[in-house]
Amino acid sequence: MYIVGLMSGTSLDGIDAALVRVNGSGLKTEMEPIEFITYPFPEDVEKEIIQSLSVDTSNVQLICSLNFKLGKLFAEATKEVCAKAGLPLEQLDLIGSHGQTIYHQPLQEQNMVPSTLQIGESAVIAYETNTPVISNFRTMDMAAGGQGAPLVPYTEYVLYRSETKGRLLQNIGGIGNVTVLPKQATLEDMYAFDTGPGNMIIDEVCRQLFQMKYDEGGKIAKQGQINEELLSHCLSHPYIMSHPPKSTGRELFGSQYVENLLKKFATLPSQDILATVTMFTAKSIVENYQAFILPKTDIKEVIIGGGGSYNKTLMEMIQSLLGHSITVLTQEDLGYSSEAKEAVAFALLANETFHGNTSNVPKATGADFDVILGNMTYPPLKR
């Protein structure tokens, strides 16, 4: 099967579209990556997404409209990645679309129940591409008592399990999340959780202090000094040392968090603030390892994916904090793409749903049961 996986994450840098060829399903899955693109958001759409993410600036009409706008853009991203690969759209078998998260509430707060909302209307994608679409991957896990995140562990088990070494799969997108794969692991042995902020705070500091979308290669952070008072303040956030299963998002570490941080530490040099929040991401990752993983699991490798793997300063900080007994690698070191990892994951999750297989990992999400993820939307035209 030819499948496109679509992912628009918390970094808001565009729609990641990965075209893969998949043979089989379950533990017999064979996957070949074919093509990958990031389809940028038009500036006005990016502003609307940012507006819709805030309880203070969002409204139902905006989200209703944006749902259909994003559906059209997801369809365009699908067409573009197929065109780049030279694959006629008629030969595409399936699309797995994660959508754009508007709000994620993993725990009950007063009368607000655990819930999640991803938009990017699947009917629009199916109509524009004439291809079946599987979407809303998170909702069934939450219906089963889980947090709806993280969802990539199943695909990581299929692709990265090892008979000889324990591995950690760390994604650093807007949020950081880790999957634990002990040596010779079964699906029941693995677990996963969100470690805390990934690029989200770093990127927001870049926007507010440097009028840049991100710190390319970590070059600006490398020029600054770590401020221990600011670092200690960041690490005191209760999420960092809360016990798994746990998941988080822009609600805790988005623009409001950064604005408060910059007000409190307004006298610090800008480069020092960026260096320190970069170290915050590194420390939040490693301290979660030290508290919840390394005391009970022998780990030899950390394999890092997502946009954060291209931040050399962040990578150096993580390796330095871990020491030399654990090797830090990137997806590229294994022949994969760090940028494409999550989009590929949703292509594989779509394949599992298509074949009627469960693909959540209850030890990662906290769900009561293994469930089949996602909703199928069929195209309106006969093929």
Side-chain angles (χ1 to χ4, degrees):
M1 294 180 71
Y2 288 101
I3 307 175
V4 166
L6 299 170
M7 174 72 188
S8 174
T10 49
S11 294
L12 303 183
D13 51 358
I15 301 163
D16 291 340
L19 173 64
V20 299
R21 184 187 292 112
V22 181
N23 193 25
S25 66
L27 299 186
K28 296 181 179 179
T29 301
E30 296 175 355
M31 187 277 293
E32 177 190 354
I34 298 175
E35 191 57 80
F36 171 77
I37 64 165
T38 297
Y39 189 87
F41 289 124
E43 194 172 323
D44 60 326
V45 173
E46 183 180 349
K47 287 178 181 176
E48 288 186 7
I49 296 172
I50 292 170
Q51 185 182 346
S52 73
L53 295 174
S54 168
V55 173
D56 298 325
T57 59
S58 185
N59 63 71
V60 291
Q61 184 181 24
L62 171 66
I63 293 174
C64 188
S65 168
L66 192 57
N67 182 37
F68 275 65
K69 280 186 183 179
L70 288 176
K72 189 73 180 290
L73 291 174
F74 282 127
E76 293 303 314
T78 300
K79 294 174 184 177
E80 186 163 309
V81 75
C82 289
K84 188 176 178 184
L87 181 79
L89 200 58
E90 308 82 64
Q91 291 185 25
L92 184 64
D93 295 297
L94 189 63
I95 297 169
S97 178
H98 171 271
Q100 174 65 54
T101 297
I102 294 299
Y103 205 82
H104 181 69
Q105 182 167 315
L107 303 173
Q108 177 127 2
E109 294 179 16
Q110 298 173 342
N111 66 329
M112 300 296 179
V113 300
S115 49
T116 191
L117 178 63
Q118 286 74 41
I119 64 173
E121 181 53 54
S122 57
V124 175
I125 305 171
Y127 180 84
E128 291 288 333
T129 62
N130 199 32
T131 304
V133 177
I134 296 173
S135 59
N136 283 332
F137 287 92
R138 301 191 183 277
T139 50
M140 187 59 77
D141 181 83
M142 295 195 79
Q147 295 192 9
L151 291 186
V152 295
Y154 179 88
T155 64
E156 290 172 328
Y157 180 75
V158 169
L159 295 177
Y160 300 99
R161 67 190 187 279
S162 170
E163 292 295 305
T164 60
K165 62 186 79 170
R167 286 173 158 173
L168 300 182
L169 277 295
Q170 177 72 47
N171 184 67
I172 307 178
I175 293 297
N177 52 70
V178 64
T179 297
V180 185
L181 278 175
K183 180 176 69 174
Q184 300 174 352
T186 65
L187 261 174
E188 289 70 34
D189 295 327
M190 66 182 297
Y191 55 101
F193 56 91
D194 288 353
T195 52
N199 304 315
M200 186 176 288
I201 297 174
I202 299 169
D203 291 351
E204 189 61 34
V205 168
C206 280
R207 286 190 193 98
Q208 294 197 30
L209 296 185
F210 299 96
Q211 290 72 56
M212 300 170 66
K213 287 193 171 183
Y214 62 98
D215 182 12
E216 185 176 355
K219 292 174 185 174
I220 302 174
K222 199 168 183 67
Q223 299 168 17
Q225 301 293 318
I226 308 298
N227 181 279
E228 293 300 331
E229 184 184 356
L230 172 55
L231 182 60
S232 177
H233 173 82
C234 292
L235 288 168
S236 69
H237 193 291
Y239 181 85
I240 305 304
M241 284 294 104
S242 62
H243 284 258
K246 57 180 179 175
S247 60
T248 188
R250 194 168 290 275
E251 300 75 34
L252 290 188
F253 297 108
S255 57
Q256 192 63 54
Y257 176 86
V258 173
E259 285 171 15
N260 293 337
L261 208 63
L262 295 181
K263 284 178 187 174
K264 185 175 178 67
F265 295 92
T267 59
L268 292 181
S270 296
Q271 284 91 345
D272 291 2
I273 292 174
L274 189 58
T276 305
V277 298
T278 303
M279 178 58 84
F280 174 36
T281 289
K283 276 243 181 193
S284 65
I285 289 169
V286 173
E287 290 196 2
N288 268 275
Y289 294 175
Q290 292 168 341
F292 306 121
I293 301 172
L294 299 180
K296 56 184 178 182
T297 308
D298 181 33
I299 298 297
K300 296 300 183 189
E301 289 180 349
V302 176
I303 304 165
I304 298 182
S309 67
Y310 300 109
N311 185 324
K312 293 180 181 177
T313 302
L314 176 59
M315 294 290 287
E316 289 168 3
M317 288 174 173
I318 293 171
Q319 181 68 82
S320 176
L321 290 168
L322 283 173
H324 298 295
S325 59
I326 297 176
T327 304
V328 176
L329 304 169
T330 66
Q331 290 289 324
E332 280 74 11
D333 293 324
L334 278 71
Y336 295 113
S337 164
S338 292
E339 288 181 302
K341 180 176 178 288
E342 287 207 305
V344 168
F346 283 97
L348 292 177
L349 288 174
N351 183 60
E352 294 305 307
T353 301
F354 182 84
H355 285 91
N357 298 331
T358 62
S359 56
N360 66 328
V361 178
K363 283 185 72 174
T365 66
D368 297 325
F369 302 102
D370 299 325
V371 293
I372 300 172
L373 301 175
N375 306 339
M376 174 75 88
T377 303
Y378 290 98
L381 308 174
K382 290 184 178 180
R383 301 186 67 181

